Amino acid sequence: MFGTVVVGVGIAGLARIRDLMNPLPSSPSEHLKLFGFVSRRSFGNINEAKQISLEEALRSKEIHAAFISTENRSHEETIRMFLEAGKHVLVEYPMALSAKAAHELWEMAEQKDKILHVEHIELLTEEYKQLKKEVAGKDLVKGTLHFTGYVLDENKAGFPAFSGIARLTWLVDLFGDLTVTSATREKQKDKNYSRMTVHFQTANK
């Protein structure tokens, strides 16, 4: 069995705990054993999973991998700690708040001979796979992607573009590398409203 720990118990972390405690029959998750979860808040137990300290998770020889589901801003530091401790890491996107930090983490994982995987579950859904089939072999002339969400705490989530990074990953996966040609941001503090508009170009313009 491959020992794991979940770090962070927001929506994603709770889903990880649930799935690790109740793996689908014949799925790879059946070979994973959840040794506990780490959180700054005090919970005790969640669905029979016990809360352990960060230090215990880093020291434990029974824990081989960490699932990181904390706020965006803390991803980089948490990844570094677990790689230094010799653990494999799965982290919810984004891996870090800068490309420079992300490249450093990839290099660190390679040096430690550990897997560092950024999870983007939407790319594995049947709906997305169908979309990819529909655009295969076609040239993108022009398109618009619009999505809405709640206003994020920038201190924890990072610059607003990070709230849309999942959709940007869609576009790169579907159409290849993109270049930002312009970006604007509109804020209405009295209405707690923010909008970012970004224009991209594909490699063939």
Side-chain angles (χ1 to χ4, degrees), residues 25-203:
S26 302
S27 73
S29 296
E30 284 194 315
H31 302 287
L32 302 177
K33 181 178 180 181
L34 180 65
F35 275 89
F37 66 91
V38 174
S39 176
R40 290 187 301 265
R41 295 172 288 169
S42 180
F43 287 97
N45 286 5
I46 296 176
N47 298 337
E48 298 179 17
K50 67 175 182 175
Q51 184 165 5
I52 62 176
S53 69
L54 176 62
E55 292 71 25
E56 189 179 347
L58 292 168
R59 277 197 321 265
S60 174
K61 289 189 167 38
E62 293 181 296
I63 293 174
H64 308 103
F67 292 77
I68 298 174
S69 306
T70 56
E71 65 273 6
N72 296 346
R73 192 168 291 281
S74 68
H75 285 183
E76 178 185 347
E77 180 186 3
T78 312
I79 292 168
R80 284 185 193 280
M81 286 191 288
F82 278 95
L83 288 177
E84 284 287 0
K87 317 287 187 192
H88 302 288
V89 176
L90 178 147
V91 61
E92 305 290 341
Y93 61 81
M95 189 191 337
L97 298 188
S98 75
K100 180 176 181 287
H103 286 294
E104 288 173 1
L105 293 170
W106 285 125
E107 288 170 11
M108 185 178 178
E110 284 187 10
Q111 289 165 3
K112 298 278 184 183
D113 198 26
K114 296 300 169 188
I115 293 168
L116 173 54
H117 172 71
V118 184
E119 183 70 36
H120 187 353
I121 200 73
E122 291 174 356
L123 299 184
L124 304 177
T125 63
E126 290 307 315
E127 294 88 342
Y128 182 79
K129 288 176 185 174
Q130 184 59 38
L131 176 62
K132 193 160 185 176
K133 281 181 189 172
E134 288 175 14
V135 303
K138 296 178 182 173
D139 288 326
L140 176 67
V141 178
K142 189 175 182 181
T144 300
L145 179 64
H146 177 250
F147 60 97
T148 60
Y150 56 90
V151 178
L152 297 172
D153 179 346
E154 290 187 32
N155 289 325
K156 293 180 178 178
F159 189 66
F162 281 94
S163 65
I165 202 163
R167 305 310 184 275
L168 301 188
T169 307
W170 280 24
L171 294 177
V172 171
D173 188 57
L174 291 171
F175 304 112
D177 287 345
L178 301 171
T179 302
V180 178
T181 56
S182 68
T184 57
R185 185 182 179 193
E186 174 192 345
K187 288 180 79 174
Q188 296 177 21
K189 278 194 173 178
D190 56 325
K191 295 181 180 176
N192 203 24
Y193 173 83
S194 176
R195 180 175 69 184
M196 175 170 279
T197 304
V198 185
H199 293 98
F200 300 99
Q201 262 191 353
T202 59

